[in-house]
Coordinates of all heavy atoms in Angstrom, one line a residue:
P11 N 32.6 1.0 16.0 CA 32.4 0.1 14.9 C 33.7 -0.6 14.5 O 34.8 -0.1 14.5 CB 31.8 0.9 13.7 CG 32.4 2.4 14.0 CD 32.5 2.4 15.6
L12 N 33.6 -1.8 13.9 CA 34.7 -2.5 13.3 C 34.8 -2.2 11.8 O 35.8 -2.4 11.3 CB 34.6 -4.0 13.7 CG 34.5 -4.5 15.0 CD1 34.5 -5.9 15.1 CD2 35.7 -3.9 15.9
L13 N 33.8 -1.8 11.2 CA 33.7 -1.6 9.9 C 33.5 -0.1 9.4 O 32.7 0.5 10.3 CB 32.7 -2.5 9.1 CG 32.8 -4.0 9.3 CD1 31.6 -4.8 8.7 CD2 34.1 -4.5 8.8
A14 N 33.9 0.4 8.4 CA 33.7 1.7 8.0 C 32.7 1.7 6.9 O 32.7 0.7 5.9 CB 35.0 2.4 7.5
G15 N 31.7 2.6 7.0 CA 30.7 2.6 6.0 C 29.6 3.6 6.3 O 29.9 4.6 6.9
A16 N 28.4 3.4 6.0 CA 27.3 4.3 6.1 C 26.8 4.1 7.6 O 27.3 3.5 8.4 CB 26.0 4.0 5.2
G17 N 25.6 4.7 7.8 CA 25.2 4.9 9.2 C 24.2 3.8 9.7 O 23.6 4.1 10.7
H18 N 24.1 2.7 9.2 CA 23.1 1.7 9.5 C 23.5 1.2 11.0 O 24.6 1.2 11.4 CB 23.3 0.4 8.6 CG 23.2 0.7 7.2 ND1 24.3 1.0 6.4 CD2 22.2 0.7 6.3 CE1 24.0 1.2 5.1 NE2 22.7 1.1 5.0
E19 N 22.4 0.7 11.6 CA 22.5 0.2 13.1 C 23.4 1.1 13.9 O 24.3 0.7 14.5 CB 23.2 -1.2 13.0 CG 22.3 -2.3 12.2 CD 20.9 -2.5 12.7 OE1 21.0 -2.8 13.9 OE2 20.0 -2.2 12.0
R20 N 22.8 2.3 14.0 CA 23.3 3.4 14.9 C 24.9 3.7 14.5 O 25.8 4.1 15.3 CB 23.3 3.0 16.3 CG 22.0 3.1 16.8 CD 21.7 2.4 18.1 NE 22.9 2.7 19.0 CZ 23.2 1.9 20.2 NH1 22.2 1.0 20.5 NH2 24.1 2.2 21.0
G21 N 25.3 3.4 13.2 CA 26.6 3.6 12.7 C 27.6 2.4 13.1 O 28.8 2.6 13.0
L22 N 27.2 1.6 13.8 CA 27.9 0.5 14.5 C 28.0 -0.8 13.6 O 29.0 -1.7 13.7 CB 27.5 0.0 15.8 CG 27.7 1.1 16.9 CD1 27.0 0.7 18.2 CD2 29.3 1.4 17.1
R23 N 27.2 -1.0 12.5 CA 27.3 -2.1 11.7 C 26.8 -1.7 10.3 O 25.7 -1.9 9.9 CB 26.4 -3.2 12.2 CG 26.8 -4.6 11.9 CD 26.3 -5.0 10.4 NE 26.6 -6.3 10.1 CZ 26.2 -6.9 9.1 NH1 25.5 -6.3 8.1 NH2 26.4 -8.2 8.8
P24 N 27.7 -1.0 9.6 CA 27.4 -0.5 8.4 C 27.0 -1.6 7.3 O 27.6 -2.8 7.4 CB 28.5 0.3 7.9 CG 29.7 -0.3 8.6 CD 29.1 -0.8 9.9
G25 N 26.2 -1.4 6.3 CA 25.9 -2.3 5.3 C 24.3 -2.5 5.3 O 23.7 -2.3 6.4
T26 N 23.7 -2.6 4.0 CA 22.2 -2.7 3.7 C 21.7 -3.8 4.7 O 22.3 -5.0 4.6 CB 22.0 -2.9 2.4 OG1 22.4 -1.7 1.6 CG2 20.5 -3.0 2.2
E27 N 20.7 -3.6 5.5 CA 20.2 -4.7 6.2 C 19.8 -5.9 5.5 O 19.0 -5.6 4.4 CB 19.0 -4.1 7.2 CG 19.5 -3.0 8.0 CD 19.3 -1.6 7.4 OE1 19.3 -1.5 6.2 OE2 19.4 -0.6 8.2
N28 N 19.9 -7.1 6.1 CA 19.5 -8.3 5.6 C 18.0 -8.6 6.1 O 17.7 -9.3 7.0 CB 20.2 -9.5 6.0 CG 20.0 -10.8 5.4 OD1 18.9 -11.0 4.7 ND2 20.7 -11.8 5.6
T29 N 17.0 -7.8 5.3 CA 15.6 -7.7 5.8 C 15.1 -8.9 6.1 O 14.5 -9.2 7.2 CB 14.7 -6.9 4.9 OG1 15.5 -5.5 4.7 CG2 13.4 -6.6 5.5
P30 N 15.0 -10.0 5.1 CA 14.4 -11.2 5.5 C 14.8 -12.0 6.7 O 14.0 -12.5 7.5 CB 14.6 -12.1 4.3 CG 14.8 -11.1 3.0 CD 15.6 -10.0 3.8
H31 N 16.1 -12.0 6.9 CA 16.6 -12.6 8.0 C 16.4 -11.9 9.3 O 16.3 -12.5 10.3 CB 18.1 -12.9 7.9 CG 18.6 -14.0 6.9 ND1 18.2 -14.1 5.6 CD2 19.1 -15.2 7.2 CE1 18.5 -15.2 5.1 NE2 19.0 -15.9 6.0
I32 N 16.5 -10.6 9.3 CA 16.1 -9.8 10.5 C 14.6 -10.1 10.8 O 14.3 -10.3 12.0 CB 16.3 -8.5 10.2 CG1 17.9 -8.1 10.1 CG2 15.7 -7.5 11.2 CD1 18.2 -6.7 9.7
I33 N 13.8 -10.1 9.8 CA 12.4 -10.5 10.1 C 12.3 -11.9 10.7 O 11.5 -12.2 11.6 CB 11.5 -10.5 8.7 CG1 11.4 -9.1 8.1 CG2 10.1 -11.1 9.0 CD1 10.9 -8.0 9.0
A34 N 13.1 -12.8 10.3 CA 13.1 -14.0 10.8 C 13.6 -14.2 12.2 O 12.8 -14.9 13.0 CB 14.1 -15.0 10.0
I35 N 14.5 -13.4 12.6 CA 15.1 -13.5 14.0 C 14.1 -12.8 15.0 O 13.8 -13.3 16.0 CB 16.5 -12.9 14.1 CG1 17.1 -13.3 15.5 CG2 16.5 -11.5 14.0 CD1 18.5 -12.9 15.7
G36 N 13.3 -11.8 14.4 CA 12.3 -11.2 15.1 C 11.1 -12.2 15.4 O 10.7 -12.4 16.6
A37 N 10.7 -13.0 14.3 CA 9.6 -13.9 14.6 C 10.0 -15.0 15.5 O 9.3 -15.5 16.3 CB 9.2 -14.5 13.1
A38 N 11.3 -15.4 15.4 CA 11.7 -16.5 16.1 C 11.9 -16.2 17.7 O 11.5 -16.8 18.7 CB 13.2 -17.0 15.7
A39 N 12.2 -14.8 17.9 CA 12.3 -14.3 19.3 C 10.9 -14.2 19.8 O 10.7 -14.6 21.1 CB 12.9 -12.8 19.2
R40 N 9.9 -13.9 19.1 CA 8.6 -13.9 19.6 C 8.0 -15.3 20.0 O 7.4 -15.4 21.1 CB 7.6 -13.2 18.5 CG 6.2 -13.1 19.0 CD 5.3 -12.5 18.0 NE 5.1 -13.5 16.9 CZ 5.6 -13.3 15.6 NH1 6.4 -12.3 15.4 NH2 5.3 -14.1 14.8
L41 N 8.3 -16.2 19.1 CA 8.0 -17.6 19.4 C 8.6 -18.2 20.7 O 8.0 -18.8 21.5 CB 8.3 -18.5 18.2 CG 7.4 -18.2 17.0 CD1 7.9 -19.1 15.7 CD2 5.9 -18.7 17.2
S42 N 9.9 -17.8 20.8 CA 10.6 -18.3 21.9 C 10.2 -17.7 23.2 O 9.9 -18.4 24.2 CB 12.1 -18.0 21.8 OG 12.7 -18.7 20.7
R43 N 9.8 -16.4 23.1 CA 9.4 -15.8 24.5 C 7.9 -16.3 24.8 O 7.7 -16.6 25.9 CB 9.2 -14.2 24.2 CG 8.8 -13.5 25.3 CD 8.8 -11.9 25.1 NE 8.0 -11.6 23.8 CZ 6.6 -11.4 23.9 NH1 6.1 -11.5 24.9 NH2 6.1 -11.0 22.6
E44 N 7.1 -16.5 23.8 CA 5.8 -17.0 24.1 C 5.7 -18.5 24.6 O 4.9 -18.9 25.5 CB 4.9 -16.9 22.9 CG 4.5 -15.4 22.4 CD 3.9 -15.3 21.1 OE1 3.7 -16.4 20.5 OE2 3.5 -14.1 20.8
G45 N 6.7 -19.2 24.2 CA 6.7 -20.7 24.6 C 7.8 -21.2 25.4 O 8.0 -22.4 25.6
L46 N 8.5 -20.0 26.1 CA 9.7 -20.3 26.8 C 9.3 -21.5 28.0 O 10.1 -22.5 28.0 CB 10.2 -19.1 27.5 CG 11.6 -19.2 28.1 CD1 12.6 -19.5 27.0 CD2 12.0 -17.9 28.7
Q47 N 8.4 -21.3 28.8 CA 8.2 -22.2 30.0 C 7.8 -23.5 29.5 O 8.2 -24.5 30.0 CB 7.2 -21.5 31.0 CG 7.7 -20.2 31.6 CD 9.0 -20.4 32.3 OE1 9.2 -21.5 33.0 NE2 9.8 -19.4 32.2
R48 N 6.8 -23.5 28.5 CA 6.3 -24.7 28.0 C 7.3 -25.6 27.2 O 7.5 -26.8 27.6 CB 5.2 -24.4 27.0 CG 4.5 -25.8 26.5 CD 3.5 -25.3 25.4 NE 3.9 -24.8 24.2 CZ 3.8 -23.5 23.8 NH1 3.4 -22.6 24.7 NH2 4.3 -23.1 22.7
H49 N 8.4 -25.0 26.6 CA 9.4 -25.6 25.9 C 10.4 -26.3 26.9 O 10.9 -27.2 26.7 CB 10.0 -24.6 24.9 CG 9.1 -24.2 23.9 ND1 9.4 -23.2 23.0 CD2 8.2 -24.9 23.3 CE1 8.4 -23.1 22.1 NE2 7.6 -24.1 22.2
A50 N 10.6 -25.4 27.9 CA 11.6 -25.8 28.9 C 11.2 -27.1 29.6 O 12.0 -27.9 29.8 CB 11.8 -24.8 29.9
V51 N 10.0 -27.3 29.9 CA 9.5 -28.6 30.5 C 9.6 -29.7 29.6 O 10.0 -30.7 29.9 CB 8.0 -28.3 30.9 CG1 7.4 -29.7 31.3 CG2 7.7 -27.3 32.0
H52 N 9.4 -29.4 28.3 CA 9.6 -30.5 27.2 C 10.9 -30.9 27.1 O 11.3 -32.2 27.2 CB 8.9 -30.0 25.9 CG 9.3 -30.8 24.8 ND1 8.6 -32.1 24.5 CD2 10.2 -30.7 23.8 CE1 9.0 -32.6 23.4 NE2 10.1 -31.8 22.9
L53 N 11.9 -29.9 27.2 CA 13.2 -30.2 26.9 C 13.8 -30.9 28.1 O 14.6 -32.0 28.0 CB 14.0 -28.9 26.7 CG 13.6 -28.0 25.4 CD1 14.3 -26.7 25.4 CD2 14.1 -28.8 24.2
I54 N 13.5 -30.6 29.3 CA 14.1 -31.2 30.5 C 13.5 -32.7 30.5 O 14.3 -33.5 30.8 CB 13.6 -30.4 31.8 CG1 14.4 -29.0 31.8 CG2 14.0 -31.3 33.0 CD1 13.9 -28.2 32.9
R55 N 12.3 -32.8 30.3 CA 11.8 -34.1 30.3 C 12.4 -35.1 29.4 O 13.0 -36.3 29.7 CB 10.2 -34.2 30.0 CG 9.6 -35.6 30.1 CD 8.0 -35.3 29.9 NE 7.7 -34.9 28.6 CZ 7.6 -35.6 27.5 NH1 7.9 -36.9 27.6 NH2 7.3 -35.1 26.3
L56 N 12.7 -34.7 28.1 CA 13.4 -35.6 27.2 C 14.8 -35.7 27.4 O 15.5 -36.8 27.2 CB 13.2 -35.0 25.7 CG 11.7 -35.2 25.2 CD1 11.6 -34.7 23.8 CD2 11.1 -36.4 25.4
R57 N 15.5 -34.7 27.8 CA 17.0 -34.7 28.2 C 17.1 -35.7 29.3 O 18.2 -36.6 29.2 CB 17.4 -33.3 28.7 CG 18.9 -33.2 29.0 CD 19.1 -32.1 29.9 NE 18.6 -32.2 31.3 CZ 18.6 -31.2 32.1 NH1 19.1 -30.0 31.9 NH2 17.9 -31.4 33.3

């Protein structure tokens, strides 16, 4: 770890978790995975 503190995140990233933002990155990851191929077609076409 780079920081000293409690045992959050397997002791590698101490500090109380930013729960709302962690929920957000999880939801965004799910949306990205589900729409990956469809979104890529859209992006390439417009690019």
Side-chain angles (χ1 to χ4, degrees):
L12 302 184
L13 302 176
H18 309 88
E19 298 301 298
R20 291 167 38 196
L22 290 171
R23 204 280 184 174
T26 302
E27 297 91 342
N28 184 352
T29 305
H31 282 63
I32 290 172
I33 298 299
I35 195 174
R40 183 183 69 253
L41 289 171
S42 294
R43 180 174 57 82
E44 293 172 350
L46 192 65
Q47 298 302 320
R48 181 177 74 257
H49 293 158
V51 171
H52 170 77
L53 296 173
I54 292 171
R55 182 175 62 84
L56 292 187
R57 181 200 67 188

